[in-house]
Amino acid sequence: MQTPWGEIEVQDAHAHFFGQSFFKALALQKGVSDIAGMVAALGWDLPPDQSEDLARGWAEELDRHGVAKSVLIASVPGDEAAVGDAVRAFPGRFYGYFMLNPLADGALERARTAFEELGLQGLCLFPAMQGFSVQDARLGPLYELASEANGRVVFVHMGVLTVGIRAKLGLPSKFNMSFSNPTDLHAVVMDHPSANFVLPHFGAGYFREALMLASLSPNVYLDTSSSNSWTKYLTPRPSLRDVFRQALDVVGPERLLFGSDSSFFPRGWNGRVFDAQCEALEQNGITRVDAEAIFGQNLERLLKPARGR
């Protein structure tokens, strides 16, 4: 893709795979049977029936923007098979992550199946949404599972958690922010040094705490995704340039992962996020080498080993 540093390969560390199973789960919660009508009311496109067809749509969308690869996240528990189908259909284009409630019955077995049989590489935890502490001893076997092979990560959403589609549909979001501080992860990452952890959105409002954690923990990476609207909670409010400058100073370019937080059609891949992050990093005067790392090489280094290439 063409960037201020010339042509570089871009890999997106954060995109959601909103297939029909995702919308069926929301429709069930809302108590409606007309899924197509519900999606149309959002102004979104109803995804195709087959995961492979939606994956093809995403592959074509990445082609249009010149994006080499992307993470696809199964955004409701139990949807990991859909992303597994997408990864198998286009193994050179996607990495697969799956969302898991670690306290649900059979969680460890689901995670093992996702990693070992479906070929997924990221275990996604949402403590505030599902009401658990990342330090809960019951999560220990999951962290160990993520440590068993190279190319696996534990993706942990800390900080402010808002799910825009739930608000648009009038669904409640009873999230518990007492489980959202990134520093809660410190003991966990120290106890599991062979596992790699990813925090999206620079810690989503807990920027200082995310920097503290990453500074002390070489196995923690920061995902830069979304509009980073969480900056409104900080005083004085930093610009995106300020956010990147501080992250570069504390963490360095080797553990920053570009993410767009793309999710639905017809918007498709969110190029505005990419453009804004390019501008912020250019303003910080980063080198081409560092740009290549942030926009793709760091992610590939994390996930490539398990893909056998």
Side-chain angles (χ1 to χ4, degrees):
M1 180 185 292
Q2 190 60 40
T3 73
W5 305 274
E7 191 78 19
I8 66 175
E9 181 172 284
V10 173
Q11 299 191 27
D12 190 337
H14 192 138
H16 293 271
F17 194 69
F18 286 173
Q20 286 216 7
S21 51
F22 171 78
F23 290 107
K24 287 176 181 177
L26 290 176
L28 183 63
Q29 294 176 43
K30 191 169 174 60
V32 301
S33 57
D34 181 9
I35 298 174
M38 182 186 75
V39 175
L42 294 168
W44 296 4
D45 292 344
L46 181 69
D49 293 335
Q50 300 299 316
S51 298
E52 294 90 339
D53 293 332
L54 179 56
R56 184 174 296 104
W58 271 113
E60 293 170 352
E61 177 72 0
L62 297 184
D63 286 342
R64 280 192 290 273
H65 289 276
V67 180
K69 299 179 183 179
S70 178
V71 166
L72 294 179
I73 301 172
S75 301
V76 290
D79 202 25
E80 54 267 25
V83 172
D85 290 341
V87 170
R88 283 191 298 275
F90 295 89
R93 301 307 301 275
F94 302 122
Y95 306 105
Y97 289 8
F98 62 100
M99 184 177 178
L100 185 76
N101 181 345
L103 304 187
D105 290 342
L108 181 61
E109 290 73 18
R110 291 194 79 103
R112 190 177 300 280
T113 297
F115 281 133
E116 298 179 357
E117 298 181 21
L118 300 179
L120 306 187
Q121 295 176 247
L123 163 62
C124 299
L125 301 176
F126 287 73
M129 179 184 293
Q130 294 157 342
F132 65 87
S133 168
V134 291
Q135 297 183 12
D136 191 310
R138 289 172 289 182
L139 275 68
L142 288 169
Y143 299 138
E144 287 301 315
L145 181 63
S147 304
E148 287 181 2
N150 292 333
R152 296 178 182 176
V153 298
V154 182
F155 172 106
V156 189
H157 193 296
M158 306 300 273
V160 175
L161 177 58
T162 59
V163 182
I165 186 173
R166 295 188 67 85
K168 290 180 179 180
L169 293 174
L171 292 171
S173 297
K174 297 180 180 179
F175 304 148
N176 187 342
M177 281 191 62
S178 66
F179 297 121
S180 288
N181 195 318
T183 60
D184 290 348
L185 268 172
H186 186 234
V188 173
V189 301
M190 291 294 98
D191 286 344
H192 301 278
S194 297
N196 288 310
F197 295 79
V198 176
L199 268 64
H201 318 312
F202 288 111
Y206 282 93
F207 184 45
R208 172 175 171 268
E209 291 79 3
L211 291 180
M212 291 167 64
L213 173 66
S215 177
L216 296 170
S217 313
N219 52 336
V220 171
Y221 292 73
L222 301 182
D223 153 347
T224 69
S225 63
S226 87
S227 63
N228 293 305
S229 62
W230 54 264
T231 58
K232 66 187 176 186
Y233 303 119
L234 305 185
T235 304
R237 183 172 183 172
S239 66
L240 191 56
R241 175 184 182 179
D242 297 332
V243 169
F244 271 108
R245 182 179 66 247
Q246 196 162 355
L248 288 165
D249 286 346
V250 176
V251 181
E254 300 85 4
R255 287 187 286 135
L256 298 181
L257 307 173
F258 161 71
S260 70
D261 206 10
S262 299
S263 55
F264 65 89
F265 289 95
R267 185 184 70 181
W269 191 70
N270 199 340
R272 288 182 296 177
V273 168
F274 174 78
D275 292 340
Q277 294 191 26
C278 279
E279 180 180 4
L281 286 165
E282 185 182 23
Q283 290 170 346
N284 277 293
I286 70 165
T287 66
R288 177 188 173 92
V289 169
D290 289 345
E292 288 177 327
I294 293 167
F295 284 107
Q297 289 179 357
N298 292 340
L299 182 68
E300 185 167 26
R301 175 166 45 86
L302 271 181
L303 300 181
K304 185 177 180 180
R307 300 174 68 82
R309 296 199 303 273

